């Protein structure tokens, strides 16, 4: 049980210059944001440059049969213009946009200004346009963490194409299903990616994926490592060659506030990943406001160069979309853009980069903090961290021990720590401390951001007030909310608005303490969170049953010291297959190849049978407890069709891969 009495006041140095410098300020603004919502959000829209002002601030309903979400209707704008052009037009083109830090220190680091981004994005947009990509077309982006990934997203936004970024760690088949689902006919990739000194064959993965996607017309390839690639004449295009013949100037397409900006696939408890759709106006307002206030980001400081922000996420996830590309760039931020990993060449890498670029706000995942904490304090102490002001975390619950290490060792007890709870579907921060105002508690995401109305419900949908534990729902819309699932609005409605009609259901459990602070307890559905990566148990199970030796599979999450959750797999083999260690390894490799390395099972247990109800439903609750090594907490097993399978599963539990 976390110690709720441990309360850390906001860091004085942050508070002294904060946009929101006290709880009284937070509370007054929060009240206004919900009680006078139209006025508040109309004012916030002023953060952006609009071609045509909007007519209505909000028009939404969470009611069954009428679920729709619209913000800033009638408004016309362009996301790329807001993130890039307007800074250049205002004479800020010389400001650094990206401090690129390559995988291997010193191997190609460079400084990229907003003018540079402006030029690159226009060229790339013209390369797309010259090949027939236009408004509403879907472009799949499968790139490593190089600046071209941001250019590609911005170039699509510029011409009104809908981009779908697929994390470059996903396998060819995961990539193929995401290309197919949104019917995309254009892919942007690189020859290879780099990771901890190794090379990842991205173009080869695309080639493999496209064997099943005949509709793809072009693959635009960034020359990154110079490694050898196979080439399909007529389909494949080198970016560096195509840009030579592309025009330098490309106008921004005027887009409606509710025109889709991107699709991003995310896992749910059932079926294949969903293509979550974010639109233009509300998303840009939400990401820029949350970036500025949650991190207390100051673009200029008394006329001098401003803060240096660093989010270590990959652009393949929502965190990279919202807190590398859109939020910070709309705010004209200077950012570290990092190709590397936390422990390469060694566990001091993050802090060397912090020292080198005088990073002020640093944003990472609990899994990285735990991995580094395990390496001890010395790699941290080696570098000067005096520039740091705000330390953020995202993606999974942070255990209080890791929170304290982050605060005390990394931040020298001097920085505010913001534990930000949000989701792919929320577009940006929902529950978070504001670093100059909110008293922080290790393990708590504390309070709702402006405009967010969280509620805690009992399993039967009754609202629980005051101190309570239950299911987390959001009672009203906010500008950054996902609008639909791509071409499947029914799935959107069923997933988020059916369990508790009139509310957005997050899929998370939470507790609200006596002070009104929220503590996320984790997913309440069959979604895993492995190293902050969201994954459906159903996806891993589908991958397993593709293997010829597997008759049936059940997957559960178990606690894991570094990853937060590990993947525990039960498999029933087909007649005649031998339950050997070699097969165990083969199944792990098989899942890795089918989905990607992040889905590699941690434990594989061969199960002669699975615990099922008499109607044939697998009882995961029991499998979870066995995986956790808590056989005394199995609960009622009397409803099982064959109670004997449980004893055998308990006896053969795995504590190694
Ligand atoms: O369970 C919550 C967990 O991550 C889920 C959302 O995953 P995804 O859509 O991939 O987005 C991750 C990055 C925003 C949530 O349903 N989660 C995210 N942030 C936190 C968290 N759990 C606890 N504390 C957090 N700060």
């Amino acid at each position: 049980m976390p110690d709720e009495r441990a309360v850390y006041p906001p860091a004085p140095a942050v508070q002294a210059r904060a946009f929101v410098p006290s709880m009284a300020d937070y509370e007054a603004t929060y009240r206004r944001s919900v009680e006078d919502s139209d006025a508040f959000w109309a004012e916030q829209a002023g953060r952006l440059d609009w071609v045509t002002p909007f007519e209505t601030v909000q028009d939404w309903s969470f009611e069954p049969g009428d679920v729709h979400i619209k913000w800033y209707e009638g408004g016309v704008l362009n996301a790329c213009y807001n993130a890039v052009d307007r800074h250049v037009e205002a004479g800020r083109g010389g400001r650094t946009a990206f401090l690129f830090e390559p995988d291997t220190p010193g191997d190609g680091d460079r400084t990229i200004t907003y003018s540079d981004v402006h030029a690159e994005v226009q060229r790339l947009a013209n390369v797309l346009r010259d090949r027939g990509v236009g408004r509403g077309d879907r472009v799949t982006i499968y790139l490593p963490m190089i600046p071209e990934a941001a250019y590609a997203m911005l170039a699509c936004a510029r011409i009104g194409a809908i981009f779908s970024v697929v994390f470059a760690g996903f396998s060819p088949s995961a990539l193929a299903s995401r290309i197919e689902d949104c019917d995309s006919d254009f892919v942007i990739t690189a020859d290879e990616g780099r990771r901890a000194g190794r090379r990842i064959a991205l173009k080869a993965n695309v080639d493999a994926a496209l064997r099943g996607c005949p509709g793809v017309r072009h693959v635009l390839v960034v020359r990154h490592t110079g490694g050898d690639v196979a080439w399909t004449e007529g389909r494949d295009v080198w970016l560096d060659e195509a840009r030579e013949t592309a025009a330098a100037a490309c106008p921004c397409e005027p887009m409606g506030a509710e025109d889709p900006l991107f699709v991003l696939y995310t896992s749910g408890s059932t079926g294949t990943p969903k293509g979550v759709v974010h639109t233009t106006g509300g998303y840009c307002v939400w990401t820029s406001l949350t970036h500025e206030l949650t991190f207390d980001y100051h673009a200029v400081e008394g006329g001098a160069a401003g803060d240096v922000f660093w989010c270590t996420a990959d652009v393949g996830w929502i965190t990279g979309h919202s807190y590398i590309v859109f939020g910070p760039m709309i705010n004209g931020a200077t950012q570290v853009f990092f190709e590397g990993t936390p422990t390469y060449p060694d566990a001091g890498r993050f802090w060397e980069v912090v020292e080198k670029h005088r990073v002020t706000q640093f944003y990472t995942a609990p899994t990285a903090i735990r991995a580094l904490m395990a390496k001890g304090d010395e790699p941290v102490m080696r570098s000067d961290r005096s520039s740091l002001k705000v330390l953020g975390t995202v993606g999974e619950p942070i255990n209080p021990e890791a929170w304290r290490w982050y605060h005390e060792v990394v931040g020298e007890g001097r920085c505010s720590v913001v534990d930000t709870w949000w989701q792919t579907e929320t577009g940006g921060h929902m529950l978070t401390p504001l670093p100059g105002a909110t008293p922080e508690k290790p393990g708590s995401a504390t309070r709702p951001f402006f405009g967010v109305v969280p509620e805690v419900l009992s399993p039967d949908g009754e609202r629980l007030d005051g101190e309570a534990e239950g299911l987390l729902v959001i009672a009203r819309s906010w500008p950054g909310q996902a609008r639909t699932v791509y071409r499947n609005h029914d799935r959107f409605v069923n997933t988020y608005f059916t369990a508790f009609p009139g509310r957005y259901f997050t899929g998370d459990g939470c507790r609200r303490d006596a002070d009104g602070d929220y503590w996320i307890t984790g997913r309440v559905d069959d979604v895993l969170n492995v190293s902050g990566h969201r994954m459906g148990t159903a996806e891993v199970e589908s991958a397993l049953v593709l293997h010829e030796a597997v008759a049936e599979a059940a997957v559960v999450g178990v606690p894991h010291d570094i990853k937060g959750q590990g993947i525990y797999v039960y498999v029933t083999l087909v007649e005649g297959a031998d339950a050997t260690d070699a097969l165990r390894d083969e199944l792990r490799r098989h899942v890795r190849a089918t989905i990607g390395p992040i889905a590699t099972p941690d434990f594989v247990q061969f199960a002669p049978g699975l615990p099922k109800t008499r109607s044939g439903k697998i009882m995961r609750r029991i499998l979870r407890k066995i995986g956790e090594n808590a056989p005394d907490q199995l609960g009622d097993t009397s409803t099982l069709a064959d109670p004997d399978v449980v004893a055998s599963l308990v006896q053969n539990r795995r504590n190694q891969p």
Side-chain angles (χ1 to χ4, degrees):
M1 200 26 79
D3 180 7
E4 286 175 14
R5 287 158 307 180
V7 179
Y8 293 69
V14 175
Q15 194 159 36
R17 62 162 203 171
F19 292 117
V20 183
S22 70
M23 271 319 254
D25 277 291
Y26 162 79
E27 270 153 14
T29 307
Y30 179 78
R31 225 173 296 120
R32 185 158 172 264
S33 75
V34 293
E35 286 168 10
D36 202 0
S37 174
D38 270 358
F40 181 83
W41 289 112
E43 200 175 293
Q44 290 307 327
R47 312 177 63 78
L48 304 180
D49 284 358
W50 299 79
V51 179
T52 310
F54 53 87
E55 283 150 20
T56 33
V57 177
Q58 52 190 310
D59 167 17
W60 55 268
S61 161
F62 290 175
E63 291 307 320
D66 185 32
V67 173
H68 68 273
I69 300 156
K70 290 176 178 163
W71 286 83
Y72 304 120
E73 259 200 307
V76 175
L77 76 166
N78 184 282
C80 179
Y81 177 85
N82 277 280
V84 184
D85 298 56
R86 64 168 177 166
H87 306 309
V88 177
E89 285 174 16
R92 298 190 293 266
R95 184 185 291 173
T96 300
F98 298 143
L99 297 151
F100 177 67
E101 264 300 312
D103 184 46
T104 298
D107 185 18
D109 40 343
R110 55 193 189 273
T111 297
I112 298 160
T113 65
Y114 274 90
S115 290
D116 297 334
V117 175
H118 191 222
E120 290 301 327
V121 167
Q122 292 189 83
R123 290 270 185 199
L124 181 43
N126 280 329
V127 167
L128 299 178
R129 227 177 220 181
D130 292 347
R131 284 159 186 79
V133 180
R135 230 184 140 97
D137 294 340
R138 276 82 52 219
V139 172
T140 300
I141 299 174
Y142 185 70
L143 282 170
M145 275 299 292
I146 53 178
E148 285 80 0
Y151 304 158
M153 293 160 80
L154 291 163
C156 289
R158 190 169 192 91
I159 62 174
I162 303 167
F163 57 87
S164 160
V165 184
V166 178
F167 174 57
F170 277 122
S171 69
S173 70
L175 171 62
S177 67
R178 286 158 173 81
I179 291 172
E180 289 279 278
D181 183 84
C182 69
D183 208 2
S184 143
D185 68 1
F186 205 105
V187 178
I188 307 179
T189 191
D191 46 6
E192 296 175 313
R194 296 184 206 272
R195 192 176 161 78
R198 288 174 293 114
R199 291 179 176 204
I200 315 286
L202 297 181
K203 171 64 165 60
N205 281 354
V206 172
D207 290 339
L210 296 195
R211 275 175 219 132
C213 308
V216 172
R217 294 184 298 121
H218 284 299
V219 178
L220 184 63
V221 188
V222 177
R223 208 185 299 269
H224 178 45
T225 63
D228 282 342
V229 295
W231 206 251
T232 303
E233 272 323 316
R235 185 195 71 182
D236 299 347
V237 179
W238 283 112
L239 173 62
D240 54 5
E241 289 170 9
R243 75 188 288 293
E244 293 306 313
T245 54
C250 176
C252 292
E253 188 75 17
M255 302 303 289
E258 282 300 336
D259 282 335
L261 179 61
F262 63 88
V263 176
L264 182 56
Y265 287 87
T266 193
S267 300
S269 43
T270 55
T272 50
K274 292 180 285 285
V276 166
V277 176
H278 282 285
T279 57
T280 308
Y283 177 80
C284 288
V285 169
W286 190 250
T287 54
S288 95
L289 179 66
T290 50
H291 170 257
E292 182 170 273
L293 299 189
T294 301
F295 300 110
D296 198 51
Y297 184 87
H298 296 252
V300 283
E301 190 78 281
D307 292 345
V308 176
F309 179 72
W310 182 12
C311 166
T312 69
D314 190 287
V315 290
W317 311 114
I318 190 69
T319 307
H321 285 59
S322 300
Y323 298 109
I324 296 177
V325 180
F326 290 98
M329 294 194 76
I330 291 169
N331 295 339
T334 294
Q335 307 182 69
V336 173
F337 196 105
F338 185 54
E339 188 189 21
T341 47
T343 49
Y344 175 78
D346 63 45
R349 183 75 193 275
F350 274 175
W351 324 118
E352 279 158 24
V353 175
V354 164
E355 173 176 329
K356 175 174 168 190
H357 295 301
R358 306 288 301 156
V359 171
T360 36
Q361 289 94 349
F362 178 75
Y363 193 32
T364 199
T367 189
I369 299 168
R370 286 191 296 264
L372 294 175
M373 186 168 82
K375 307 265 183 198
D377 299 356
E378 188 278 331
V380 186
M381 300 306 195
R382 255 190 269 152
S383 302
D384 175 63
R385 284 129 26 248
S386 58
S387 57
L388 289 171
K389 292 184 190 302
V390 180
L391 300 172
T393 83
V394 57
E396 46 174 329
I398 182 164
N399 47 312
E401 197 193 351
W403 194 102
R404 284 197 194 91
W405 186 80
Y406 201 28
H407 182 262
E408 273 146 40
V409 179
V410 174
E412 304 174 301
R414 187 178 41 68
C415 301
S416 289
V417 174
V418 291
D419 174 357
T420 63
W421 174 85
W422 58 294
Q423 310 177 295
T424 304
E425 296 89 339
T426 72
H429 303 151
M430 298 293 282
L431 299 172
T432 177
L434 297 186
T438 316
E440 295 146 20
K441 296 175 182 174
S444 170
T446 71
R447 299 297 175 98
F449 192 80
F450 300 140
V452 175
V453 181
E455 288 180 356
V456 181
L457 302 187
S458 71
D460 50 16
E462 184 200 346
R463 196 180 80 197
L464 307 172
D465 294 322
E467 221 178 320
E469 179 156 355
L471 305 169
L472 178 63
V473 299
I474 311 293
R476 52 181 304 160
S477 186
W478 63 98
Q481 184 172 22
R483 303 303 197 248
T484 192
V485 167
Y486 192 72
R487 288 185 184 161
N488 199 344
H489 196 63
D490 284 349
R491 193 167 177 202
F492 183 68
V493 174
N494 289 336
T495 308
Y496 306 109
F497 300 96
T498 303
F500 305 106
R503 306 277 186 275
Y504 166 77
F505 178 44
T506 63
D508 278 310
C510 89
R511 196 159 56 82
R512 186 173 44 226
D513 70 19
D515 299 330
D517 288 315
Y518 290 82
W519 303 71
I520 301 296
T521 51
R523 300 288 305 196
V524 295
D525 51 11
D526 291 320
V527 170
L528 305 177
N529 194 326
V530 181
S531 299
H533 300 316
R534 180 167 159 184
M535 211 175 309
T537 50
E539 285 167 73
V540 183
E541 289 164 4
S542 308
L544 283 162
V545 297
L546 286 177
H547 193 281
E548 57 187 14
V550 177
E552 192 172 31
V555 172
V556 297
V558 291
H560 187 288
D561 283 350
I562 303 288
K563 300 181 186 181
Q565 264 189 326
I567 302 178
Y568 196 107
V569 165
Y570 298 87
V571 284
T572 306
L573 299 179
V574 295
E575 281 290 318
D578 285 335
T580 59
D581 281 344
L583 179 57
R584 241 187 223 111
D585 286 344
E586 190 178 316
L587 292 176
R588 297 176 76 232
R589 278 198 306 273
H590 167 78
V591 173
R592 194 184 160 91
T594 307
I595 303 177
I598 55 172
T600 311
D602 293 281
F603 308 97
V604 178
Q605 176 170 356
F606 294 123
L610 295 171
K612 291 183 186 169
T613 59
R614 282 184 205 106
S615 61
K617 194 172 174 295
I618 294 174
M619 293 193 71
R620 288 164 187 289
R621 176 179 57 80
I622 292 175
L623 293 176
R624 237 174 263 132
K625 290 296 171 195
I626 296 172
E628 279 171 24
N629 199 16
D632 51 324
Q633 295 167 28
L634 294 182
D636 183 12
T637 55
S638 63
T639 56
L640 290 177
D642 175 8
D644 291 345
V645 296
V646 172
S648 128
L649 289 176
V650 170
Q651 210 166 27
N652 294 302
R653 178 184 168 271
R654 302 286 303 173
N655 54 15
Q656 53 190 13

